[in-house]
PDB file of all heavy atoms in Angstrom:
ATOM      1  N   ARG A   1      25.926-227.691  55.044  1.00 92.00           N
ATOM      2  CA  ARG A   1      26.492-227.088  53.835  1.00 92.00           C
ATOM      3  C   ARG A   1      25.412-226.322  53.063  1.00 92.00           C
ATOM      4  O   ARG A   1      25.274-226.436  51.843  1.00 92.00           O
ATOM      5  CB  ARG A   1      27.124-228.152  52.928  1.00 92.00           C
ATOM      6  CG  ARG A   1      28.318-228.863  53.579  1.00 92.00           C
ATOM      7  CD  ARG A   1      28.979-229.835  52.641  1.00 92.00           C
ATOM      8  NE  ARG A   1      30.130-230.486  53.263  1.00 92.00           N
ATOM      9  CZ  ARG A   1      30.904-231.395  52.636  1.00 92.00           C
ATOM     10  NH1 ARG A   1      30.620-231.741  51.376  1.00 92.00           N
ATOM     11  NH2 ARG A   1      31.927-231.938  53.259  1.00 92.00           N
ATOM     12  N   THR A   2      24.689-225.501  53.808  1.00 94.00           N
ATOM     13  CA  THR A   2      23.651-224.660  53.209  1.00 94.00           C
ATOM     14  C   THR A   2      23.976-223.204  53.455  1.00 94.00           C
ATOM     15  O   THR A   2      24.703-222.873  54.406  1.00 94.00           O
ATOM     16  CB  THR A   2      22.271-224.974  53.790  1.00 94.00           C
ATOM     17  OG1 THR A   2      22.298-224.736  55.209  1.00 94.00           O
ATOM     18  CG2 THR A   2      21.881-226.423  53.531  1.00 94.00           C
ATOM     19  N   GLN A   3      23.419-222.339  52.592  1.00 93.00           N
ATOM     20  CA  GLN A   3      23.612-220.894  52.743  1.00 93.00           C
ATOM     21  C   GLN A   3      22.344-220.190  52.276  1.00 93.00           C
ATOM     22  O   GLN A   3      21.937-220.335  51.120  1.00 93.00           O
ATOM     23  CB  GLN A   3      24.820-220.432  51.919  1.00 93.00           C
ATOM     24  CG  GLN A   3      25.029-218.921  51.940  1.00 93.00           C
ATOM     25  CD  GLN A   3      26.306-218.482  51.268  1.00 93.00           C
ATOM     26  OE1 GLN A   3      27.382-218.721  51.784  1.00 93.00           O
ATOM     27  NE2 GLN A   3      26.185-217.829  50.105  1.00 93.00           N
ATOM     28  N   ASP A   4      21.743-219.396  53.201  1.00 93.00           N
ATOM     29  CA  ASP A   4      20.552-218.605  52.885  1.00 93.00           C
ATOM     30  C   ASP A   4      20.950-217.147  52.851  1.00 93.00           C
ATOM     31  O   ASP A   4      21.550-216.646  53.798  1.00 93.00           O
ATOM     32  CB  ASP A   4      19.452-218.837  53.935  1.00 93.00           C
ATOM     33  CG  ASP A   4      19.017-220.293  54.010  1.00 93.00           C
ATOM     34  OD1 ASP A   4      19.013-220.954  52.959  1.00 93.00           O
ATOM     35  OD2 ASP A   4      18.713-220.766  55.126  1.00 93.00           O
ATOM     36  N   VAL A   5      20.603-216.460  51.757  1.00 93.00           N
ATOM     37  CA  VAL A   5      21.005-215.077  51.554  1.00 93.00           C
ATOM     38  C   VAL A   5      19.770-214.184  51.548  1.00 93.00           C
ATOM     39  O   VAL A   5      18.772-214.489  50.870  1.00 93.00           O
ATOM     40  CB  VAL A   5      21.798-214.924  50.243  1.00 93.00           C
ATOM     41  CG1 VAL A   5      22.235-213.473  50.054  1.00 93.00           C
ATOM     42  CG2 VAL A   5      23.023-215.840  50.222  1.00 93.00           C
ATOM     43  N   TYR A   6      19.884-213.032  52.313  1.00 90.00           N
ATOM     44  CA  TYR A   6      18.778-212.084  52.401  1.00 90.00           C
ATOM     45  C   TYR A   6      19.337-210.685  52.178  1.00 90.00           C
ATOM     46  O   TYR A   6      20.523-210.414  52.430  1.00 90.00           O
ATOM     47  CB  TYR A   6      18.100-212.150  53.773  1.00 90.00           C
ATOM     48  CG  TYR A   6      17.631-213.546  54.161  1.00 90.00           C
ATOM     49  CD1 TYR A   6      18.430-214.370  54.972  1.00 90.00           C
ATOM     50  CD2 TYR A   6      16.402-214.005  53.727  1.00 90.00           C
ATOM     51  CE1 TYR A   6      17.995-215.623  55.325  1.00 90.00           C
ATOM     52  CE2 TYR A   6      15.952-215.270  54.093  1.00 90.00           C
ATOM     53  CZ  TYR A   6      16.762-216.075  54.884  1.00 90.00           C
ATOM     54  OH  TYR A   6      16.329-217.338  55.228  1.00 90.00           O
ATOM     55  N   SER A   7      18.472-209.799  51.759  1.00 91.00           N
ATOM     56  CA  SER A   7      18.844-208.393  51.652  1.00 91.00           C
ATOM     57  C   SER A   7      19.050-207.829  53.052  1.00 91.00           C
ATOM     58  O   SER A   7      18.311-208.162  53.988  1.00 91.00           O
ATOM     59  CB  SER A   7      17.755-207.605  50.920  1.00 91.00           C
ATOM     60  OG  SER A   7      18.013-206.220  51.003  1.00 91.00           O
ATOM     61  N   ILE A   8      20.061-206.974  53.193  1.00 88.00           N
ATOM     62  CA  ILE A   8      20.364-206.451  54.521  1.00 88.00           C
ATOM     63  C   ILE A   8      19.216-205.615  55.069  1.00 88.00           C
ATOM     64  O   ILE A   8      19.030-205.528  56.280  1.00 88.00           O
ATOM     65  CB  ILE A   8      21.673-205.639  54.476  1.00 88.00           C
ATOM     66  CG1 ILE A   8      22.193-205.392  55.898  1.00 88.00           C
ATOM     67  CG2 ILE A   8      21.474-204.318  53.735  1.00 88.00           C
ATOM     68  CD1 ILE A   8      23.568-204.795  55.963  1.00 88.00           C
ATOM     69  N   GLY A   9      18.408-204.994  54.180  1.00 86.00           N
ATOM     70  CA  GLY A   9      17.257-204.219  54.654  1.00 86.00           C
ATOM     71  C   GLY A   9      16.135-205.074  55.190  1.00 86.00           C
ATOM     72  O   GLY A   9      15.210-204.549  55.832  1.00 86.00           O
ATOM     73  N   GLN A  10      16.184-206.418  54.973  1.00 88.00           N
ATOM     74  CA  GLN A  10      15.133-207.313  55.448  1.00 88.00           C
ATOM     75  C   GLN A  10      15.463-207.957  56.792  1.00 88.00           C
ATOM     76  O   GLN A  10      14.716-208.813  57.265  1.00 88.00           O
ATOM     77  CB  GLN A  10      14.875-208.425  54.408  1.00 88.00           C
ATOM     78  CG  GLN A  10      14.299-207.925  53.085  1.00 88.00           C
ATOM     79  CD  GLN A  10      14.109-209.048  52.093  1.00 88.00           C
ATOM     80  OE1 GLN A  10      14.995-209.882  51.893  1.00 88.00           O
ATOM     81  NE2 GLN A  10      12.929-209.087  51.466  1.00 88.00           N
ATOM     82  N   THR A  11      16.570-207.577  57.379  1.00 88.00           N
ATOM     83  CA  THR A  11      16.973-208.150  58.664  1.00 88.00           C
ATOM     84  C   THR A  11      16.772-207.130  59.774  1.00 88.00           C
ATOM     85  O   THR A  11      16.879-205.920  59.551  1.00 88.00           O
ATOM     86  CB  THR A  11      18.458-208.559  58.626  1.00 88.00           C
ATOM     87  OG1 THR A  11      19.255-207.397  58.510  1.00 88.00           O
ATOM     88  CG2 THR A  11      18.738-209.491  57.460  1.00 88.00           C
ATOM     89  N   PRO A  12      16.447-207.579  60.982  1.00 87.00           N
ATOM     90  CA  PRO A  12      16.248-206.636  62.102  1.00 87.00           C
ATOM     91  C   PRO A  12      17.554-206.086  62.672  1.00 87.00           C
ATOM     92  O   PRO A  12      17.514-205.279  63.599  1.00 87.00           O
ATOM     93  CB  PRO A  12      15.510-207.496  63.135  1.00 87.00           C
ATOM     94  CG  PRO A  12      15.946-208.882  62.858  1.00 87.00           C
ATOM     95  CD  PRO A  12      16.167-208.977  61.374  1.00 87.00           C
ATOM     96  N   LEU A  13      18.706-206.485  62.108  1.00 85.00           N
ATOM     97  CA  LEU A  13      19.998-206.037  62.641  1.00 85.00           C
ATOM     98  C   LEU A  13      20.620-204.935  61.802  1.00 85.00           C
ATOM     99  O   LEU A  13      21.807-204.635  61.970  1.00 85.00           O
ATOM    100  CB  LEU A  13      20.969-207.237  62.714  1.00 85.00           C
ATOM    101  CG  LEU A  13      20.540-208.402  63.608  1.00 85.00           C
ATOM    102  CD1 LEU A  13      21.579-209.512  63.583  1.00 85.00           C
ATOM    103  CD2 LEU A  13      20.297-207.931  65.033  1.00 85.00           C
ATOM    104  N   LYS A  14      19.840-204.326  60.922  1.00 87.00           N
ATOM    105  CA  LYS A  14      20.433-203.285  60.085  1.00 87.00           C
ATOM    106  C   LYS A  14      20.885-202.074  60.890  1.00 87.00           C
ATOM    107  O   LYS A  14      21.728-201.297  60.427  1.00 87.00           O
ATOM    108  CB  LYS A  14      19.455-202.854  58.991  1.00 87.00           C
ATOM    109  CG  LYS A  14      18.097-202.423  59.473  1.00 87.00           C
ATOM    110  CD  LYS A  14      17.218-202.049  58.272  1.00 87.00           C
ATOM    111  CE  LYS A  14      15.767-201.781  58.672  1.00 87.00           C
ATOM    112  NZ  LYS A  14      15.049-203.035  58.959  1.00 87.00           N
ATOM    113  N   PHE A  15      20.381-201.895  62.118  1.00 88.00           N
ATOM    114  CA  PHE A  15      20.830-200.759  62.935  1.00 88.00           C
ATOM    115  C   PHE A  15      22.293-200.887  63.320  1.00 88.00           C
ATOM    116  O   PHE A  15      22.936-199.907  63.730  1.00 88.00           O
ATOM    117  CB  PHE A  15      19.946-200.627  64.185  1.00 88.00           C
ATOM    118  CG  PHE A  15      20.072-201.786  65.142  1.00 88.00           C
ATOM    119  CD1 PHE A  15      21.045-201.800  66.122  1.00 88.00           C
ATOM    120  CD2 PHE A  15      19.200-202.860  65.063  1.00 88.00           C
ATOM    121  CE1 PHE A  15      21.153-202.852  67.004  1.00 88.00           C
ATOM    122  CE2 PHE A  15      19.294-203.915  65.948  1.00 88.00           C
ATOM    123  CZ  PHE A  15      20.279-203.921  66.923  1.00 88.00           C
ATOM    124  N   LEU A  16      22.852-202.106  63.220  1.00 91.00           N
ATOM    125  CA  LEU A  16      24.254-202.297  63.562  1.00 91.00           C
ATOM    126  C   LEU A  16      25.195-201.913  62.427  1.00 91.00           C
ATOM    127  O   LEU A  16      26.358-201.588  62.684  1.00 91.00           O
ATOM    128  CB  LEU A  16      24.514-203.759  63.951  1.00 91.00           C
ATOM    129  CG  LEU A  16      24.009-204.224  65.321  1.00 91.00           C
ATOM    130  CD1 LEU A  16      24.269-205.712  65.496  1.00 91.00           C
ATOM    131  CD2 LEU A  16      24.666-203.441  66.448  1.00 91.00           C
ATOM    132  N   VAL A  17      24.702-201.968  61.174  1.00 91.00           N
ATOM    133  CA  VAL A  17      25.626-201.842  60.046  1.00 91.00           C
ATOM    134  C   VAL A  17      25.342-200.651  59.137  1.00 91.00           C
ATOM    135  O   VAL A  17      26.209-200.296  58.332  1.00 91.00           O
ATOM    136  CB  VAL A  17      25.613-203.142  59.208  1.00 91.00           C
ATOM    137  CG1 VAL A  17      26.172-204.318  60.007  1.00 91.00           C
ATOM    138  CG2 VAL A  17      24.214-203.459  58.716  1.00 91.00           C
ATOM    139  N   GLN A  18      24.161-200.042  59.206  1.00 89.00           N
ATOM    140  CA  GLN A  18      23.907-198.933  58.297  1.00 89.00           C
ATOM    141  C   GLN A  18      24.728-197.711  58.675  1.00 89.00           C
ATOM    142  O   GLN A  18      25.119-197.544  59.837  1.00 89.00           O
ATOM    143  CB  GLN A  18      22.416-198.589  58.252  1.00 89.00           C
ATOM    144  CG  GLN A  18      21.838-198.081  59.534  1.00 89.00           C
ATOM    145  CD  GLN A  18      20.314-197.973  59.474  1.00 89.00           C
ATOM    146  OE1 GLN A  18      19.635-198.924  59.052  1.00 89.00           O
ATOM    147  NE2 GLN A  18      19.775-196.836  59.880  1.00 89.00           N
ATOM    148  N   ASP A  19      24.999-196.847  57.674  1.00 91.00           N
ATOM    149  CA  ASP A  19      25.930-195.746  57.853  1.00 91.00           C
ATOM    150  C   ASP A  19      25.419-194.727  58.857  1.00 91.00           C
ATOM    151  O   ASP A  19      26.147-194.302  59.757  1.00 91.00           O
ATOM    152  CB  ASP A  19      26.204-195.088  56.497  1.00 91.00           C
ATOM    153  CG  ASP A  19      27.330-194.081  56.571  1.00 91.00           C
ATOM    154  OD1 ASP A  19      28.132-194.164  57.531  1.00 91.00           O
ATOM    155  OD2 ASP A  19      27.423-193.204  55.700  1.00 91.00           O
ATOM    156  N   ARG A  20      24.187-194.295  58.708  1.00 93.00           N
ATOM    157  CA  ARG A  20      23.586-193.320  59.620  1.00 93.00           C
ATOM    158  C   ARG A  20      22.330-193.920  60.233  1.00 93.00           C
ATOM    159  O   ARG A  20      21.490-194.484  59.533  1.00 93.00           O
ATOM    160  CB  ARG A  20      23.225-192.035  58.892  1.00 93.00           C
ATOM    161  CG  ARG A  20      24.408-191.305  58.270  1.00 93.00           C
ATOM    162  CD  ARG A  20      25.462-190.915  59.286  1.00 93.00           C
ATOM    163  NE  ARG A  20      24.916-190.048  60.333  1.00 93.00           N
ATOM    164  CZ  ARG A  20      25.604-189.634  61.395  1.00 93.00           C
ATOM    165  NH1 ARG A  20      26.847-190.042  61.593  1.00 93.00           N
ATOM    166  NH2 ARG A  20      25.049-188.827  62.292  1.00 93.00           N
ATOM    167  N   VAL A  21      22.224-193.794  61.563  1.00 93.00           N
ATOM    168  CA  VAL A  21      21.108-194.387  62.310  1.00 93.00           C
ATOM    169  C   VAL A  21      20.279-193.254  62.904  1.00 93.00           C
ATOM    170  O   VAL A  21      20.812-192.369  63.582  1.00 93.00           O
ATOM    171  CB  VAL A  21      21.608-195.339  63.418  1.00 93.00           C
ATOM    172  CG1 VAL A  21      20.440-195.888  64.224  1.00 93.00           C
ATOM    173  CG2 VAL A  21      22.447-196.472  62.833  1.00 93.00           C
ATOM    174  N   ASP A  22      18.963-193.322  62.634  1.00 95.00           N
ATOM    175  CA  ASP A  22      17.989-192.421  63.273  1.00 95.00           C
ATOM    176  C   ASP A  22      16.759-193.267  63.550  1.00 95.00           C
ATOM    177  O   ASP A  22      15.919-193.471  62.666  1.00 95.00           O
ATOM    178  CB  ASP A  22      17.660-191.232  62.378  1.00 95.00           C
ATOM    179  CG  ASP A  22      16.768-190.199  63.080  1.00 95.00           C
ATOM    180  OD1 ASP A  22      16.243-190.514  64.178  1.00 95.00           O
ATOM    181  OD2 ASP A  22      16.618-189.089  62.551  1.00 95.00           O
ATOM    182  N   LEU A  23      16.692-193.776  64.790  1.00 94.00           N
ATOM    183  CA  LEU A  23      15.630-194.729  65.094  1.00 94.00           C
ATOM    184  C   LEU A  23      14.250-194.098  64.951  1.00 94.00           C
ATOM    185  O   LEU A  23      13.303-194.789  64.528  1.00 94.00           O
ATOM    186  CB  LEU A  23      15.819-195.278  66.521  1.00 94.00           C
ATOM    187  CG  LEU A  23      17.091-196.130  66.740  1.00 94.00           C
ATOM    188  CD1 LEU A  23      17.208-196.535  68.208  1.00 94.00           C
ATOM    189  CD2 LEU A  23      17.091-197.373  65.850  1.00 94.00           C
ATOM    190  N   ALA A  24      14.116-192.852  65.298  1.00 94.00           N
ATOM    191  CA  ALA A  24      12.807-192.203  65.168  1.00 94.00           C
ATOM    192  C   ALA A  24      12.374-192.114  63.709  1.00 94.00           C
ATOM    193  O   ALA A  24      11.166-192.090  63.407  1.00 94.00           O
ATOM    194  CB  ALA A  24      12.833-190.824  65.793  1.00 94.00           C
ATOM    195  N   ARG A  25      13.293-192.077  62.767  1.00 93.00           N
ATOM    196  CA  ARG A  25      12.971-192.005  61.345  1.00 93.00           C
ATOM    197  C   ARG A  25      12.908-193.387  60.703  1.00 93.00           C
ATOM    198  O   ARG A  25      12.038-193.652  59.860  1.00 93.00           O
ATOM    199  CB  ARG A  25      14.046-191.168  60.620  1.00 93.00           C
ATOM    200  CG  ARG A  25      13.876-191.011  59.122  1.00 93.00           C
ATOM    201  CD  ARG A  25      15.170-190.535  58.487  1.00 93.00           C
ATOM    202  NE  ARG A  25      16.244-191.541  58.674  1.00 93.00           N
ATOM    203  CZ  ARG A  25      17.528-191.281  58.473  1.00 93.00           C
ATOM    204  NH1 ARG A  25      17.921-190.057  58.144  1.00 93.00           N
ATOM    205  NH2 ARG A  25      18.419-192.238  58.639  1.00 93.00           N
ATOM    206  N   ASP A  26      13.800-194.289  61.071  1.00 91.00           N
ATOM    207  CA  ASP A  26      13.937-195.557  60.365  1.00 91.00           C
ATOM    208  C   ASP A  26      12.891-196.589  60.792  1.00 91.00           C
ATOM    209  O   ASP A  26      12.509-197.458  60.000  1.00 91.00           O
ATOM    210  CB  ASP A  26      15.335-196.136  60.588  1.00 91.00           C
ATOM    211  CG  ASP A  26      16.433-195.206  60.098  1.00 91.00           C
ATOM    212  OD1 ASP A  26      16.175-194.412  59.169  1.00 91.00           O
ATOM    213  OD2 ASP A  26      17.560-195.274  60.658  1.00 91.00           O
ATOM    214  N   VAL A  27      12.474-196.564  62.046  1.00 93.00           N
ATOM    215  CA  VAL A  27      11.548-197.572  62.563  1.00 93.00           C
ATOM    216  C   VAL A  27      10.454-196.869  63.337  1.00 93.00           C
ATOM    217  O   VAL A  27      10.489-195.652  63.554  1.00 93.00           O
ATOM    218  CB  VAL A  27      12.279-198.592  63.454  1.00 93.00           C
ATOM    219  CG1 VAL A  27      13.268-199.416  62.639  1.00 93.00           C
ATOM    220  CG2 VAL A  27      12.995-197.892  64.612  1.00 93.00           C
ATOM    221  N   LYS A  28       9.533-197.676  63.801  1.00 95.00           N
ATOM    222  CA  LYS A  28       8.438-197.143  64.620  1.00 95.00           C
ATOM    223  C   LYS A  28       8.770-197.376  66.089  1.00 95.00           C
ATOM    224  O   LYS A  28       8.731-198.519  66.573  1.00 95.00           O
ATOM    225  CB  LYS A  28       7.132-197.827  64.252  1.00 95.00           C
ATOM    226  CG  LYS A  28       5.924-197.296  65.025  1.00 95.00           C
ATOM    227  CD  LYS A  28       4.647-198.026  64.626  1.00 95.00           C
ATOM    228  CE  LYS A  28       3.437-197.535  65.407  1.00 95.00           C
ATOM    229  NZ  LYS A  28       2.183-198.258  65.037  1.00 95.00           N
ATOM    230  N   VAL A  29       9.109-196.284  66.782  1.00 97.00           N
ATOM    231  CA  VAL A  29       9.472-196.387  68.201  1.00 97.00           C
ATOM    232  C   VAL A  29       8.198-196.517  69.018  1.00 97.00           C
ATOM    233  O   VAL A  29       7.310-195.663  68.960  1.00 97.00           O
ATOM    234  CB  VAL A  29      10.298-195.182  68.651  1.00 97.00           C
ATOM    235  CG1 VAL A  29      10.620-195.300  70.144  1.00 97.00           C
ATOM    236  CG2 VAL A  29      11.589-195.065  67.847  1.00 97.00           C
ATOM    237  N   LEU A  30       8.106-197.569  69.812  1.00 97.00           N
ATOM    238  CA  LEU A  30       6.944-197.818  70.655  1.00 97.00           C
ATOM    239  C   LEU A  30       7.125-197.251  72.058  1.00 97.00           C
ATOM    240  O   LEU A  30       6.163-196.745  72.649  1.00 97.00           O
ATOM    241  CB  LEU A  30       6.657-199.317  70.721  1.00 97.00           C
ATOM    242  CG  LEU A  30       6.370-200.017  69.380  1.00 97.00           C
ATOM    243  CD1 LEU A  30       6.166-201.513  69.604  1.00 97.00           C
ATOM    244  CD2 LEU A  30       5.157-199.395  68.703  1.00 97.00           C
ATOM    245  N   ASP A  31       8.313-197.376  72.607  1.00 97.00           N
ATOM    246  CA  ASP A  31       8.513-196.922  73.989  1.00 97.00           C
ATOM    247  C   ASP A  31      10.001-196.717  74.235  1.00 97.00           C
ATOM    248  O   ASP A  31      10.859-197.406  73.647  1.00 97.00           O
ATOM    249  CB  ASP A  31       7.947-197.954  74.957  1.00 97.00           C
ATOM    250  CG  ASP A  31       7.783-197.418  76.378  1.00 97.00           C
ATOM    251  OD1 ASP A  31       8.007-196.205  76.569  1.00 97.00           O
ATOM    252  OD2 ASP A  31       7.448-198.207  77.286  1.00 97.00           O
ATOM    253  N   VAL A  32      10.307-195.773  75.123  1.00 97.00           N
ATOM    254  CA  VAL A  32      11.680-195.537  75.594  1.00 97.00           C
ATOM    255  C   VAL A  32      11.617-195.487  77.109  1.00 97.00           C
ATOM    256  O   VAL A  32      10.931-194.627  77.684  1.00 97.00           O
ATOM    257  CB  VAL A  32      12.263-194.229  75.028  1.00 97.00           C
ATOM    258  CG1 VAL A  32      13.673-194.020  75.578  1.00 97.00           C
ATOM    259  CG2 VAL A  32      12.270-194.237  73.511  1.00 97.00           C
ATOM    260  N   ARG A  33      12.319-196.363  77.784  1.00 96.00           N
ATOM    261  CA  ARG A  33      12.311-196.449  79.246  1.00 96.00           C
ATOM    262  C   ARG A  33      13.721-196.220  79.775  1.00 96.00           C
ATOM    263  O   ARG A  33      14.694-196.742  79.226  1.00 96.00           O
ATOM    264  CB  ARG A  33      11.823-197.830  79.705  1.00 96.00           C
ATOM    265  CG  ARG A  33      10.450-198.219  79.158  1.00 96.00           C
ATOM    266  CD  ARG A  33      10.165-199.683  79.457  1.00 96.00           C
ATOM    267  NE  ARG A  33       8.891-200.123  78.865  1.00 96.00           N
ATOM    268  CZ  ARG A  33       8.499-201.404  78.824  1.00 96.00           C
ATOM    269  NH1 ARG A  33       9.269-202.357  79.369  1.00 96.00           N
ATOM    270  NH2 ARG A  33       7.335-201.709  78.258  1.00 96.00           N
ATOM    271  N   THR A  34      13.755-195.461  80.853  1.00 95.00           N
ATOM    272  CA  THR A  34      15.044-195.185  81.503  1.00 95.00           C
ATOM    273  C   THR A  34      14.932-195.534  82.974  1.00 95.00           C
ATOM    274  O   THR A  34      14.074-194.994  83.688  1.00 95.00           O
ATOM    275  CB  THR A  34      15.439-193.711  81.350  1.00 95.00           C
ATOM    276  OG1 THR A  34      15.475-193.371  79.961  1.00 95.00           O
ATOM    277  CG2 THR A  34      16.801-193.454  81.970  1.00 95.00           C
ATOM    278  N   ALA A  35      15.791-196.436  83.434  1.00 95.00           N
ATOM    279  CA  ALA A  35      15.813-196.840  84.841  1.00 95.00           C
ATOM    280  C   ALA A  35      16.756-195.944  85.624  1.00 95.00           C
ATOM    281  O   ALA A  35      17.679-195.331  85.063  1.00 95.00           O
ATOM    282  CB  ALA A  35      16.243-198.294  84.950  1.00 95.00           C
ATOM    283  N   PRO A  36      16.541-195.837  86.954  1.00 93.00           N
ATOM    284  CA  PRO A  36      17.474-195.039  87.776  1.00 93.00           C
ATOM    285  C   PRO A  36      18.916-195.500  87.669  1.00 93.00           C
ATOM    286  O   PRO A  36      19.851-194.713  87.874  1.00 93.00           O
ATOM    287  CB  PRO A  36      16.922-195.199  89.188  1.00 93.00           C
ATOM    288  CG  PRO A  36      15.478-195.528  89.002  1.00 93.00           C
ATOM    289  CD  PRO A  36      15.412-196.353  87.749  1.00 93.00           C
ATOM    290  N   SER A  37      19.118-196.768  87.350  1.00 94.00           N
ATOM    291  CA  SER A  37      20.491-197.282  87.211  1.00 94.00           C
ATOM    292  C   SER A  37      21.166-196.800  85.935  1.00 94.00           C
ATOM    293  O   SER A  37      22.373-197.033  85.750  1.00 94.00           O
ATOM    294  CB  SER A  37      20.472-198.808  87.231  1.00 94.00           C
ATOM    295  OG  SER A  37      19.708-199.310  86.141  1.00 94.00           O
ATOM    296  N   GLY A  38      20.419-196.155  85.040  1.00 95.00           N
ATOM    297  CA  GLY A  38      21.001-195.674  83.795  1.00 95.00           C
ATOM    298  C   GLY A  38      20.747-196.576  82.613  1.00 95.00           C
ATOM    299  O   GLY A  38      21.205-196.282  81.498  1.00 95.00           O
TER     300      GLY A  38
END
């Protein structure tokens, strides 16, 4: 019976809920890999 509340900007899942997503602008992209399988 506990509840912990955080600001949505402090969670790593904000890419799922924010209105506009631009990963190159919002976070620091380290690597992008593409496999032959797609």
Side-chain angles (χ1 to χ4, degrees):
R1 296 184 179 180
T2 60
Q3 176 173 290
D4 300 326
V5 181
Y6 305 96
S7 171
I8 195 171
Q10 294 178 314
T11 67
L13 299 180
K14 54 181 172 285
F15 66 87
L16 286 176
V17 294
Q18 65 189 49
D19 189 20
R20 299 301 301 175
V21 177
D22 186 349
L23 295 176
R25 179 197 63 194
D26 300 333
V27 294
K28 182 181 179 181
V29 178
L30 301 177
D31 195 6
V32 179
R33 304 170 184 170
T34 303
S37 61

